[in-house]
């Protein structure tokens, strides 16, 4: 539109971007209802609950989760369940931006249910140490996620893909399902 206006106003002769192919969105990201969220969480194995809770209630990226360290050392650990906060540091963030994420009560309850109180370290270490886009897919969390698909199908609950749907749901319906 800018170049159409510029050409009409005789500020430009041609649109240099006219031959560029734009990517079309191929799919819509699913937003989960509170009932969907409950069905997903109720059907997960205990060891996978933190992964889904961190994505669903805290909007943490899958790749960031594979790097999160749990514990009480504020200099090296990212998740502090006592304080109820997650500290995403520049070295693990996709955007290299530091952010502090409060863990809301419902998420905190799920995390305390699923993670032993004396646990320290990384819950879902990647199988390899290469820091690339495939880190989340190579993690223990993805193995667990894929292994529980059959139980979801048996209960006729559609298991969503671990994509941005869980993160987007956090922003779309966070208040009603978290408080």
């Amino acid at each position: 539109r800018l170049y159409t206006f510029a050409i009409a106003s005789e500020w430009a002769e041609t649109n240099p971007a006219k031959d560029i192919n734009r990517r079309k969105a191929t799919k819509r990201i699913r937003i989960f209802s509170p009932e969907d969220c409950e069905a997903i969480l109720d059907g997960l194995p205990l060891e996978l609950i933190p992964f889904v809770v961190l994505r669903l209630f805290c909007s943490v990226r899958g790749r960031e989760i594979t790097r999160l360290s749990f514990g009480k050392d504020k200099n090296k650990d990212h998740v502090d369940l006592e304080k109820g906060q997650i500290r995403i540091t520049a070295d693990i963030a996709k955007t290299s931006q530091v952010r502090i994420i409060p863990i809301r009560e419902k998420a905190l309850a799920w995390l305390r249910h699923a993670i032993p109180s004396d646990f320290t370290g990384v819950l879902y270490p990647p199988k390899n140490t290469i820091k690339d886009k495939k880190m989340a897919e190579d993690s223990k969390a993805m193995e667990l996620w894929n292994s529980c698909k059959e139980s979801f199908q048996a209960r006729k609950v559609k298991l969503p893909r671990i994509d941005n749907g869980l993160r987007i749901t956090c922003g779309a319906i966070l208040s009603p399902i978290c408080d």
Side-chain angles (χ1 to χ4, degrees), residues 1 19 36 38 103 130:
R1 292 181 183 174
D19 295 327
D36 291 335
E38 187 176 329
I103 305 173
I130 299 169

Side-chain angles (χ1 to χ4, degrees), residues 55-84:
R55 291 195 48 98
L56 184 61
F57 295 117
C58 304
S59 195
V60 180
R61 294 177 177 90
R63 189 169 163 202
E64 293 169 343
I65 293 171
T66 65
R67 300 173 181 178
L68 287 178
S69 173
F70 288 71
K72 296 176 181 143
D73 184 341
K74 69 177 185 176
N75 294 320
K76 71 172 182 130
D77 293 318
H78 304 101
V79 181
D80 186 336
L81 295 179
E82 285 182 10
K83 282 186 175 178

Side-chain angles (χ1 to χ4, degrees), residues 8-103:
S9 301
E10 298 181 356
W11 295 336
E13 292 180 21
T14 62
N15 180 350
K18 71 178 179 177
D19 295 327
I20 295 174
N21 292 328
R22 288 190 245 170
R23 288 194 297 166
K24 302 276 186 205
T26 57
K27 62 179 179 174
R28 290 183 60 197
I29 295 176
R30 180 176 174 196
I31 305 292
F32 300 103
S33 70
E35 294 78 22
D36 291 335
C37 297
E38 187 176 329
I40 291 166
L41 287 167
D42 285 343
L44 291 176
L46 192 62
E47 61 265 54
L48 190 55
I49 287 173
F51 188 86
V52 174
V53 167
L54 290 170
R55 291 195 48 98
L56 184 61
F57 295 117
C58 304
S59 195
V60 180
R61 294 177 177 90
R63 189 169 163 202
E64 293 169 343
I65 293 171
T66 65
R67 300 173 181 178
L68 287 178
S69 173
F70 288 71
K72 296 176 181 143
D73 184 341
K74 69 177 185 176
N75 294 320
K76 71 172 182 130
D77 293 318
H78 304 101
V79 181
D80 186 336
L81 295 179
E82 285 182 10
K83 282 186 175 178
Q85 73 177 23
I86 302 166
R87 186 173 43 91
I88 304 290
T89 55
D91 61 317
I92 67 169
K94 174 183 176 183
T95 60
S96 298
Q97 301 286 322
V98 175
R99 64 189 197 275
I100 304 295
I101 304 167
I103 305 173

Side-chain angles (χ1 to χ4, degrees), residues 99-134:
R99 64 189 197 275
I100 304 295
I101 304 167
I103 305 173
R104 301 192 59 177
E105 285 305 313
K106 189 168 237 173
L108 208 47
W110 277 104
L111 291 172
R112 287 183 176 142
H113 167 70
I115 302 170
S117 60
D118 60 346
F119 178 82
T120 59
V122 178
L123 275 177
Y124 307 109
K127 290 183 195 173
N128 61 45
T129 56
I130 299 169
K131 291 183 180 181
D132 64 11
K133 291 180 181 178
K134 298 294 181 192

